[in-house]
Structures are given as structure tokens and as C-alpha cells.
Amino acid sequence: MGLGRYIEDSNNDASDGLYSLLTLDQKRESEDFIFRRPLRCLDMLATDGYFTFVASQPQLACAAFVIAEPSEVISLELSDVSIDCSAGDFIKMFDGWVLKGEKFPSRQDHPLPLHQRYTDYCSSTASDATSRSSQNVAMIFFRIHSPDSGFTLAVKKLHNPFPCNIISQSPEGSFTMVMPHQRRNCSFSIIYPVEIRLTELSLGQAKSNELSPQRQVWSGCSGSGDYVELLGGNGVDTSKMFPVADLCFSLSGLTQMKIGCDNSVVRLVSSGNYINRVSFQYRLLEQRELPKTRENSLDNFCAVE
């Protein structure tokens, strides 16, 4: 399991194993050094720099996935583009990731409609060759038929004061999501089976410090307008994931839950009337901690405890 097994362009059958590419690129370069390297047909980019693709043969299904730190967004800029759009070549930048046919963030969680999340270099309506993400992941996918055709992609990370909708680079860590008077949903996605420990939860109208463990979404929290969901599943679209628990009470202290899924999510839902805050820690489950798959079950892809 892990980040690599998910990465797959919706237009091709990209192989798994990109986590190795991520770990190679995670090393940060010094700020006074401009990093440059060739761009692969299937690639993971985790550092600022310039990445140049030159086709040595027809490349009909390529994708590069860009990931930043949780508190960053991503600027993408194309230059030195030499492709033939009339022959079927294309370069498209996407605000988010397309993973196994699903999009992150989901339609429900992203501030823009889906068509505004694409920047198509070959489209006559495209105003320029730049794109800026709304979260810490972005992607570019492209098709080039003629050898020696290509382009250069500039990747730059920018600070984001209120991170929302995040894919974690690591299976272990801690994070705090804050939503200040905005009607918006924010997900923190950990593409590993993990134990999640909520250490603090502050919600708008909470009147109780008591926490009912594993309260299900259909028990009423969704009607409160301000709550936290814990989700699990084998994809990244939060609307298609299994609701493990929801919390609509403020708490100060520790509550924890193990989610034995390929993807584990903390999702903060905000009405916009309050300042909501959730802090949590997470760690990778060891093999002995993973629940056994239940046969002949609708949720046999993901067991939780």
C-alpha cells in the first residue's frame, strides 16, 4: 500500500510503484540553486525546479504528479513548448490529482467547478501556459507524437496560510486544520492504513466535552453544519469513501482510531459561521495491526476497527 499504488492517469494504465520516485525527489535543494532535470513520461515531482521533456518516440499517455508540503500550493508554468496540437498532441494541467479514475479533491470539496480546474495548452480559450493549485498537489498530463517535440515545466511552491485539502507525503506526522469563517470542506488524506489520534477539536456550537466514539455520520452530526468525519476507502474521492466516524463535539484530550484502509482521511466540514479547528497525529499501522479481510462482504476492500 502507499502513495505509489494510487498514481494513475485517468487516460492510461500507468504502473504502480511511483512511491520510489517520490522518495527520490523529496530531498530539498538549497534555495540559491536552480534544480533542473529531464522529465519522465511517468513522473513524481516533489521539489521546485525546471523539468524538460523531449520525446524520443511517440508518447501517448504521460503524466507527472506534483506534491508539496501541506502548507504550500503549487505554481506550474510551461515554456519552450514544441508540440503539434492539430496532430493530436496536448498538454493539460490539473488543479489536484486524478487517481485511479477519481479526482482529489472531490467536486464537493474543491472551491472551483471541474472545468475550471483544467488548463489546456492547446485550447483556444486558454489565456496562458500557467496554472496554480488550490492545495498541495497538482498534475500535468500530456500526449506527444513526434520525436524531439517537448516542453519545459517550471514548478514553484508558494506558502498557503490556510491549508485545505492535503495529501500527506508521509504515513506518520501531525497536523492542524483551521477553517476561519468559510463555508468549505477540508480533507487531510493519508494514503496508508494508519492510526489517527485526535488531540484537539474546536467546533462552532459545541456544548459538550464528551465524545461518543464511532458515532456514525447518519446519527446526526451531518445536520449540525460543523463536524469532523473520519473516512476510509480504496480511492481518494471523499464522497465515495466509507464513513468510519463523525465528531460534532469539541474535545480537549486524546481520542484515537485505527483505519485499516488504503486511504485514511480526516475531513473538516464547516458551515462558515465559526472558526473550526482540528489537530491530530497519525502513524502507519504495523502489519500485525491490520484487520483481516472479511470475505463476501461489501466492504471487504477495507476493514476498520
Side-chain angles (χ1 to χ4, degrees), residues 57-300:
Q57 59 185 11
Q59 298 285 3
L60 306 184
C62 297
F65 297 82
V66 189
I67 189 167
E69 296 297 326
S71 60
E72 295 175 327
V73 292
I74 300 163
S75 170
L76 302 178
E77 183 174 359
L78 297 171
S79 62
D80 301 324
V81 180
S82 175
I83 66 172
D84 187 352
C85 296
S86 63
D89 293 355
F90 66 76
I91 306 172
K92 297 180 181 180
M93 294 175 281
F94 183 68
D95 184 2
W97 276 3
V98 180
L99 310 173
K100 300 178 72 172
E102 296 185 2
K103 295 176 177 63
F104 179 89
S106 68
R107 291 171 181 257
Q108 292 86 347
D109 291 354
H110 200 281
L112 298 175
L114 185 59
H115 71 276
Q116 291 185 18
R117 296 169 63 180
Y118 286 94
T119 301
D120 186 348
Y121 177 81
C122 289
S123 172
S124 59
T125 61
S127 59
D128 52 33
T130 63
S131 177
R132 178 169 172 170
S133 72
S134 304
Q135 62 289 310
N136 78 319
V137 292
M139 67 172 290
I140 178 171
F141 48 103
F142 52 97
R143 173 185 298 167
I144 298 178
H145 291 82
S146 300
D148 299 325
S149 296
F151 61 91
T152 294
L153 175 68
V155 175
K156 185 177 180 181
K157 313 295 177 54
L158 307 170
H159 178 65
N160 182 11
F162 293 106
C164 180
N165 295 323
I166 296 145
I167 289 182
S168 176
Q169 295 190 33
S170 170
E172 299 184 355
S174 61
F175 196 73
T176 296
M177 282 193 293
V178 180
M179 185 47 53
H181 296 291
Q182 293 183 27
R183 184 180 178 86
R184 191 176 180 190
N185 307 327
C186 293
S187 295
F188 190 96
S189 181
I190 311 156
I191 306 183
Y192 304 89
V194 296
E195 178 185 70
I196 295 176
R197 299 186 178 189
L198 297 183
T199 55
E200 181 186 357
L201 177 59
S202 177
L203 298 171
Q205 288 183 320
K207 298 179 181 179
S208 172
N209 289 328
E210 298 297 325
L211 174 68
S212 299
Q214 298 195 35
R215 289 189 57 187
Q216 297 301 314
V217 167
W218 49 85
S219 66
C221 273
S222 60
S224 68
D226 298 272
Y227 60 98
V228 167
E229 286 183 303
L230 299 182
L231 305 171
N234 64 350
V236 294
D237 186 331
T238 54
S239 67
K240 300 178 181 179
M241 296 180 69
F242 182 78
V244 179
D246 69 338
L247 314 171
C248 48
F249 298 96
S250 288
L251 66 95
S252 179
L254 188 67
T255 183
Q256 64 189 53
M257 183 171 294
K258 295 178 181 178
I259 304 179
C261 301
D262 290 349
N263 188 20
S264 309
V265 169
V266 178
R267 183 170 182 257
L268 176 62
V269 178
S270 297
S271 65
N273 297 323
Y274 311 100
I275 299 176
N276 293 327
R277 176 188 179 100
V278 59
S279 298
F280 54 92
Q281 302 170 348
Y282 53 100
R283 69 168 182 86
L284 182 67
L285 291 180
E286 298 179 10
Q287 189 65 35
R288 61 179 175 80
E289 297 179 281
L290 294 176
K292 294 182 179 179
T293 300
R294 296 189 293 273
E295 298 296 335
N296 301 319
S297 174
L298 291 176
D299 60 341
N300 60 4

